[in-house]
Amino acid sequence: PGTQFALLKFEKPVTCPPDSMVIGSKLDVSTDAKLCRIAFSGKLLTSLKYDPETLEKLKIYKLRQRVGSVERLQDDYTIIGKGLFSKETNMEQFMGLKVRLDSGLEGTISSSFGQTGKFKVSFVNKIPEDLIQSQGGGGDKGGSSDAEEGKKKKKKKGKNKRTINSKITLPLKKYVFAIDRKKLLQ
């Protein structure tokens, strides 16, 4: 699965020249057991001090993601999203981060929307019409004149909301040895 790296921390210092072949074995396994006792093997790249400043330079991270949904379209380039954040979340740290819709369309969190954890996502290009759906409005209940129908249609037109039936994914990297643990990176 590609190149893999490991950070090994020992209880006591170990002497090992750079570029050495390193083999680790499981010494807690009985020699009588018919199991492989080799835990890992590889080439030593470097030795380092195990302190916060040095470890932060390693850039070891875990992938995280938050998932929300589209509430509605604001215009042809902006959607209103919900479900990624609680109402107490400080949205400033998320401004400018990239999000992705199920369709693969990528946008950027541009601002918060209201006080309930909703947010705006802006897209560089116009949102494709084949993704947009209309919701709202009701059926005709009958018994009204043509003039009344015209007034009802005008009112209903305002109630229809355009939306996209899609999840919004916010991919993040959480750096294991980051000194500033609240900093969010992609």
Side-chain angles (χ1 to χ4, degrees):
T3 305
Q4 296 182 0
F5 298 89
L7 173 65
L8 304 175
K9 179 182 175 185
F10 297 101
E11 292 175 3
K12 297 178 183 176
V14 176
T15 303
C16 191
D19 298 325
S20 297
M21 174 65 150
V22 179
I23 300 173
S25 63
K26 299 183 239 175
L27 298 176
D28 57 344
V29 176
S30 170
T31 55
D32 298 329
K34 295 187 179 190
L35 297 171
C36 179
R37 293 178 54 184
I38 297 176
F40 62 87
S41 67
K43 180 180 173 185
L44 178 68
L45 295 178
T46 188
S47 62
L48 49 88
K49 288 183 180 177
Y50 204 86
D51 61 47
E53 290 81 26
T54 305
L55 293 174
E56 187 175 36
K57 293 176 186 174
L58 291 178
K59 304 296 181 199
I60 297 172
Y61 61 87
K62 295 179 181 178
L63 291 175
R64 299 278 191 245
Q65 70 177 15
R66 290 184 174 203
V67 179
S69 60
V70 176
E71 181 177 84
R72 63 184 166 89
L73 267 73
Q74 182 174 19
D75 57 44
D76 290 338
Y77 296 89
T78 310
I79 61 171
I80 306 297
K82 62 180 181 179
L84 279 180
F85 313 109
S86 66
K87 64 181 181 179
E88 295 86 18
T89 302
N90 177 7
M91 292 295 295
E92 286 183 22
Q93 62 184 343
F94 295 97
M95 299 301 170
L97 294 182
K98 296 195 181 311
V99 295
R100 182 177 298 116
L101 301 182
D102 289 343
S103 64
L105 195 61
E106 289 190 358
T108 305
I109 297 175
S110 56
S111 69
S112 61
F113 184 79
Q115 301 294 317
T116 59
K118 294 180 184 175
F119 55 96
K120 290 183 183 180
V121 176
S122 300
F123 297 92
V124 175
N125 299 319
K126 186 176 176 180
I127 299 169
E129 286 295 324
D130 60 330
L131 296 178
I132 299 172
Q133 302 169 349
S134 290
Q135 292 181 342
D140 181 20
K141 295 187 179 178
S144 52
S145 68
D146 288 342
E148 288 176 84
E149 281 297 314
K151 288 179 186 176
K152 284 184 182 178
K153 283 184 181 178
K154 283 183 183 177
K155 285 182 183 176
K156 287 179 186 175
K157 192 174 186 180
K159 289 183 181 178
N160 279 351
K161 69 177 183 179
R162 296 175 352 142
T163 188
I164 298 174
N165 186 18
S166 180
K167 291 180 184 173
I168 302 172
T169 304
L170 173 63
L172 297 168
K173 290 179 183 175
K174 181 179 179 185
Y175 285 90
V176 177
F177 297 115
I179 293 172
D180 180 7
R181 295 200 176 261
K182 296 194 181 225
K183 188 175 180 183
L184 297 171
L185 297 169
Q186 290 187 303

